Amino acid sequence: MRIIIHRGTHQIDGTCVELRVGETRIILDYGMPLAASDGKEVNESSLQDRTAAELIKEHVLFDIPGLYNGQEPQVSGILISHSHKDHYGLLNYLHPDIPVYVSEGALKLIHVLNVFTHKRSHISIQNPYIVKHKASFDIGDFRVTPYLVDHSGFDAMSFLIEEKPTGKRLFYSGDFRASGWRRSLFDRFIKNPPKGINCLLMEGTMIERQGGAYEDESAVLSGVEDALKKTEKNVVLAYCSGQNIDRIVTFYKAARHAKALLIIDPYIATVLHVLKNERNKIPQLDWDSI
Ligand SMILES: [Zn+2]
């Protein structure tokens, strides 16, 4: 197996890794970077009218033959770990015939963003294949097994990737944590991890950051409950990413405990609406009360 890390070392944005074995080539994530490979700042809104060939010249896209629109497709698939733009933000340039392997929840969140953003920032996935926790599938000479992980990006996956001819195994963590409401996914994984890994590619976004104000989502919940208890006002404003389902659950729980009414904006309401078929993955919400 040949591993080419196009971007993702020494930076936390714009992850892109290519794997090759025999004739099979796959890509792990293709995120929007803050800066091009030559260090120039990347302005997302200025990219939209450009061709892949132009952006390769400007070092925003990598010269990966057979990946882009306008080229003869030679890449067998791209795996998207989750719905944060630093992991999928350059998919618009992909050749539309190349399959994109992504979880159902992540695909829905990628699409729902298009409803609320300007056309210039829309990202559409033409040829999606839905992946599920521990349901293995083959892409040419690779066998891929997704593992659901705890992350602020809903329905995020790690990938175990095996080179079929030799049995060599690579594990790609994607973004993960052990502090959300789905921490049990991390604990279960650690108790019984896949065996015989030859190469581990692990995200380390927080490795150099010292602890934040709250250790985990339970601590955030206590903090929000305290704020609700202490306030003398009738309205308390809360802010979070509309796709951060765990944080919305936290606000929901705090409001319930305080017997307060939680009002959400139309964007969060739409996010919850599109995820209603995934409700088994968000057990903390009483969906009938929403
Ligand atoms: Zn992420």
Side-chain angles (χ1 to χ4, degrees):
M1 184 186 316
R2 190 158 165 230
I3 304 164
I4 304 163
I5 301 177
H6 290 291
R7 185 160 44 217
T9 52
H10 309 297
Q11 64 194 93
I12 59 169
D13 54 297
T15 305
C16 180
V17 177
E18 181 179 353
L19 304 181
R20 297 181 181 181
V21 57
E23 294 295 300
T24 311
R25 292 163 56 207
I26 61 173
I27 305 289
L28 310 179
D29 284 334
Y30 205 166
M32 180 69 74
L34 296 173
S37 317
D38 59 3
K40 283 199 193 119
E41 195 183 326
V42 173
N43 179 353
E44 192 184 330
S45 59
S46 70
L47 301 184
Q48 304 307 314
D49 302 323
R50 322 292 295 283
T51 64
E54 285 171 334
L55 293 176
I56 290 170
K57 267 194 204 146
E58 291 172 25
H59 307 285
V60 173
L61 296 179
F62 299 103
D63 191 3
I64 304 174
L67 180 64
Y68 302 110
N69 215 344
Q71 301 178 336
E72 182 67 27
Q74 295 167 29
V75 172
S76 307
I78 177 159
L79 308 179
I80 297 299
S81 61
H82 64 286
S83 59
H84 284 160
K85 269 203 170 170
D86 59 334
H87 287 257
Y88 77 88
L90 290 173
L91 284 187
N92 272 352
Y93 303 97
L94 192 70
H95 192 287
D97 290 351
I98 295 176
V100 176
Y101 297 84
V102 60
S103 72
E104 179 111 43
L107 182 66
K108 285 177 175 170
L109 290 183
I110 290 170
H111 284 156
V112 80
L113 204 57
N114 292 343
V115 179
F116 288 84
T117 51
H118 191 278
K119 217 166 52 191
R120 294 172 74 88
S121 345
H122 288 185
I123 292 184
S124 54
I125 295 183
Q126 313 277 344
N127 196 6
Y129 279 70
I130 298 302
V131 305
K132 292 196 163 86
H133 178 55
K134 288 196 175 175
S136 301
F137 56 92
D138 288 352
I139 309 175
D141 281 338
F142 289 109
R143 173 152 299 158
V144 180
T145 308
Y147 284 78
L148 193 59
V149 292
D150 180 26
H151 182 44
S152 58
F154 179 72
D155 221 10
M157 297 287 179
S158 294
F159 295 110
L160 169 66
I161 298 158
E162 188 172 319
E163 180 183 292
K164 287 198 290 178
T166 63
K168 288 212 164 139
R169 300 177 125 198
L170 175 144
F171 194 83
Y172 176 72
S173 72
D175 281 353
F176 70 100
R177 63 184 184 181
S179 58
W181 292 119
R182 309 204 75 192
R183 188 210 153 103
S184 58
L185 290 168
F186 177 81
D187 294 335
R188 257 182 273 155
F189 180 84
I190 291 298
K191 261 190 204 147
N192 186 23
K195 308 275 186 303
I197 301 297
N198 301 96
C199 176
L200 171 65
L201 298 180
M202 189 168 78
E203 298 271 349
T205 312
M206 303 294 282
I207 274 176
E208 289 178 337
R209 288 192 210 167
Q210 294 305 311
Y214 300 99
E215 195 175 311
D216 58 19
E217 210 56 41
S218 303
V220 177
L221 174 60
S222 305
V224 178
E225 286 176 335
D226 281 351
L228 285 173
K229 266 185 222 144
K230 282 180 196 150
T231 184
E232 288 163 7
K233 302 202 165 66
N234 288 328
V235 176
V236 175
L237 297 176
Y239 170 80
C240 72
S241 155
Q243 294 204 0
N244 186 344
I245 303 299
D246 269 17
R247 190 56 47 83
I248 292 162
V249 165
T250 299
F251 292 145
Y252 170 85
K253 282 177 183 240
R256 277 214 133 180
H257 295 168
K259 297 197 169 28
L261 179 65
L262 177 66
I263 298 174
I264 53 179
D265 65 22
Y267 175 55
I268 296 176
T270 309
V271 166
L272 292 178
H273 179 72
V274 300
L275 293 182
K276 67 180 187 302
N277 291 337
E278 316 291 312
R279 60 174 68 189
N280 61 325
K281 297 174 191 165
I282 318 172
Q284 303 91 344
L285 288 183
D286 174 5
W287 287 80
D288 295 331
S289 73
I290 292 175

